[in-house]
Amino acid sequence: MIVSILRKKTTKLLKIICLLLVVGILCILPENHAYAAETADTITDGRLNDELTGTTNERTNIREPGSAESADDLKKLNVANTVTVTYDNGNGTLSGPLRILITLTLIALAPVLIICLTSFTRIIIVLHFTRNALNTQTSPPNQVLLGLALFLTFFIMSPTIAQVRTEAIEPFDKGQITQEEAFTAAMKPIREFMYGQTQTKDVKLFLEISGDEWTGNLEDIPNAVLIPSFMLSELRVGFIIGFLLYIPFIVIDMVVASTLMSMGMMMLPPTTISMPFKILLFVLADGWNLVIGNLVRTFY
């Protein structure tokens, strides 16, 4: 009991000492002042002028807010806090901040655009089927397959990208065409690529759903119809190629399974024995060269 009472009194004493120390420190601290002024001309306190950094001409607020009579005056009101971006010596049709916003938006949408408007979908599906047919669960890893599919996409789409740059980006940067004309010119080679890989029945399917009529020309197909039609065709072709890849490996699985059954090894999984034979067959036939080479040729 005595020890407990002493502890409580010691704790209270320490709290009182800490409180006194805090009060003493607050009393010792020098007095600080904060001032606010609308313009430099309203500063009359000599002590305030001494404490401000910089001269009157260097300060941020050099004119009274609301006194601007033109766009040039508005830019000069608060020059220290204004970011000005000049594009093509002021001849562009979009302001600098808006161009930055559009660029950041395109960067955020880049993965979606690559998947929906390029050959990426077919390539990644075929590579995935190839790995599953070999029965190698994580070899090659997903990162390797994605990187390979991405660079193969750039290789296949390089003529289209070059055409977009020549017909849309460069004239737009020079101020020769407007942004609407640049968008139309950029979509034209991409639409031609998608239309060449899209089956007619897929286009008719989405046109019937939307209730539009089609005369058989590419110009009459809106982007909202062409893009899903292209993706549907890519999925179909990718699964067809994947099925053809599975056939030789299924034959190996059947031969190994029948051999194990004839030997009475029913408890041994056939996939464990067939996987080395699949890899051996794939290496001897130079499988990656055949798969990737023929896959790329399907776009030409």
Side-chain angles (χ1 to χ4, degrees):
M1 291 293 297
I2 297 176
V3 175
S4 177
I5 294 173
L6 290 175
R7 287 181 178 177
K8 292 181 179 180
K9 290 184 178 181
T10 304
T11 303
K12 291 181 180 180
L13 182 61
L14 290 175
K15 291 181 179 179
I16 294 173
I17 293 173
C18 293
L19 180 61
L20 293 176
L21 288 175
V22 172
V23 173
I25 292 173
L26 294 176
C27 293
I28 295 174
L29 289 176
E31 183 180 2
N32 295 325
H33 301 277
Y35 302 92
E38 294 184 353
T39 63
D41 297 335
T42 60
I43 300 176
T44 57
D45 190 353
R47 182 178 56 182
L48 176 61
N49 285 322
D50 294 337
E51 294 178 358
L52 289 176
T53 59
T55 62
T56 303
N57 294 330
E58 295 175 349
R59 289 169 190 164
T60 301
N61 201 353
I62 62 176
R63 293 180 58 185
E64 183 179 358
S67 62
E69 298 179 356
S70 63
D72 294 334
D73 293 340
L74 185 62
K75 293 181 180 179
K76 296 178 181 179
L77 281 179
N78 203 358
V79 293
N81 293 336
T82 302
V83 178
T84 303
V85 180
T86 303
Y87 180 79
D88 197 15
N89 296 325
N91 295 326
T93 55
L94 292 177
S95 62
L98 186 57
R99 287 182 177 274
I100 295 174
L101 177 62
I102 293 175
T103 302
L104 294 177
T105 303
L106 291 177
I107 292 174
L109 295 177
V112 178
L113 297 178
I114 292 175
I115 294 173
C116 297
L117 306 181
T118 65
S119 58
F120 183 85
T121 302
R122 185 190 305 184
I123 295 172
I124 196 64
I125 289 175
V126 172
L127 293 178
H128 176 74
F129 272 112
T130 304
R131 186 176 66 178
N132 286 350
L134 288 171
N135 199 25
T136 55
Q137 301 298 327
T138 58
S139 182
N142 292 331
Q143 294 84 349
V144 175
L145 293 182
L146 288 173
L148 180 59
L150 188 61
F151 278 99
L152 288 177
T153 301
F154 288 154
F155 175 78
I156 295 170
M157 299 295 298
S158 56
T160 304
I161 296 174
Q163 189 175 356
V164 169
R165 180 176 181 180
T166 303
E167 298 179 0
I169 297 177
E170 292 180 355
F172 180 67
D173 287 340
K174 295 177 182 178
Q176 299 175 355
I177 58 177
T178 63
Q179 53 266 29
E180 294 181 359
E181 295 174 346
F183 176 78
T184 304
M187 284 300 299
K188 182 178 179 181
I190 297 177
R191 284 170 55 88
E192 291 177 354
F193 170 80
M194 291 191 295
Y195 184 71
Q197 306 297 327
T198 305
Q199 297 186 10
T200 305
K201 61 180 180 180
D202 295 330
V203 177
K204 292 181 178 179
L205 170 65
F206 286 98
L207 286 174
E208 290 176 359
I209 295 174
S210 61
D212 298 330
E213 296 182 358
W214 184 37
T215 60
N217 298 323
L218 173 60
E219 292 75 14
D220 298 332
I221 305 175
N223 292 330
V225 172
L226 182 59
I227 293 175
S229 303
F230 168 73
M231 295 188 66
L232 182 58
S233 299
E234 289 293 286
L235 289 174
R236 180 185 295 106
V237 175
F239 273 75
I240 292 174
I241 298 175
F243 171 76
L244 296 176
L245 285 172
Y246 256 98
I247 293 177
F249 298 107
I250 289 177
V251 172
I252 295 176
D253 286 335
M254 294 175 62
V255 171
V256 172
S258 61
T259 303
L260 292 177
M261 288 288 292
S262 62
M263 296 175 63
M265 297 180 177
M266 292 179 294
M267 301 300 295
L268 184 63
T271 55
T272 305
I273 305 300
S274 63
M275 185 177 67
F277 292 100
K278 291 179 181 180
I279 297 174
L280 179 61
L281 175 64
F282 195 74
V283 172
L284 291 177
D286 199 3
W288 288 115
N289 185 286
L290 293 174
V291 171
I292 293 176
N294 289 283
L295 175 60
V296 172
R297 291 188 182 95
T298 59
F299 292 96
Y300 294 95

